[in-house]
């Protein structure tokens, strides 16, 4: 007979997250990849939720679902940029003790998409 023992613990943060890296202004060409950084200073308390917004609104669900926009821990990737990706992006980090939101970072996509 096999016996499995699972240990589980919940890390509780003693203070809200602090930024180590925040998104910076970017100017890219159409079809380029946009990379925005957003990371918390150590110690990292998981789960740290990372919420990205463009012009104060959630990112488009269809772009996330089809993989054109990918949010990994510490960064946001926008593949094959279009002029519609231009705007002001913010990142919010959340842990059990609170949250912090970055300043707005302007992203400008220049040029037209190739047909």
């Amino acid at each position: 007979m096999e016996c499995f023992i699972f240990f589980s613990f919940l890390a509780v943060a003693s203070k809200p997250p602090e930024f180590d890296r925040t998104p910076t202004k970017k100017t890219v060409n159409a079809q380029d990849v946009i990379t925005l950084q957003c990371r918390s200073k150590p110690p990292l308390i998981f789960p740290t939720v990372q919420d990205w917004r463009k012009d104060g609104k959630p990112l488009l669900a269809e772009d996330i679902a089809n993989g054109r926009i990918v949010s990994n821990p510490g960064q946001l990737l926008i593949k094959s940029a279009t002029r519609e990706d231009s705007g002001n992006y913010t990142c919010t980090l959340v842990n059990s003790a609170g949250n912090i939101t970055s300043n707005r970072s302007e992203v400008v996509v220049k040029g037209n998409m190739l047909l």
Side-chain angles (χ1 to χ4, degrees), residues 23 26 34 36 50-61 63-64 68-69 76-78 81-92 101-109:
K26 300 269 184 184
I34 301 169
L36 298 173
Q50 198 173 49
D51 178 37
W52 288 95
R53 294 187 175 256
K54 177 183 169 244
D55 298 326
K57 298 177 185 173
L59 302 176
L60 293 177
D63 285 335
I64 295 168
R68 193 179 80 79
I69 295 179
L76 179 73
L77 296 173
I78 302 173
T82 67
R83 293 184 70 162
E84 289 78 25
D85 293 316
S86 294
N88 293 301
Y89 288 79
T90 58
C91 170
T92 300
T101 299
S102 68
N103 292 329
R104 292 179 301 181
S105 172
E106 182 183 19
V107 172
V108 176
V109 181

Side-chain angles (χ1 to χ4, degrees), residues 5 7 10 13 25 41 61 66 68 78 83-84 90-91 96:
I5 300 174
F7 292 97
L10 175 64
K25 181 177 180 174
K41 287 183 181 178
N66 69 23
R68 193 179 80 79
I78 302 173
R83 293 184 70 162
E84 289 78 25
T90 58
C91 170
S96 59

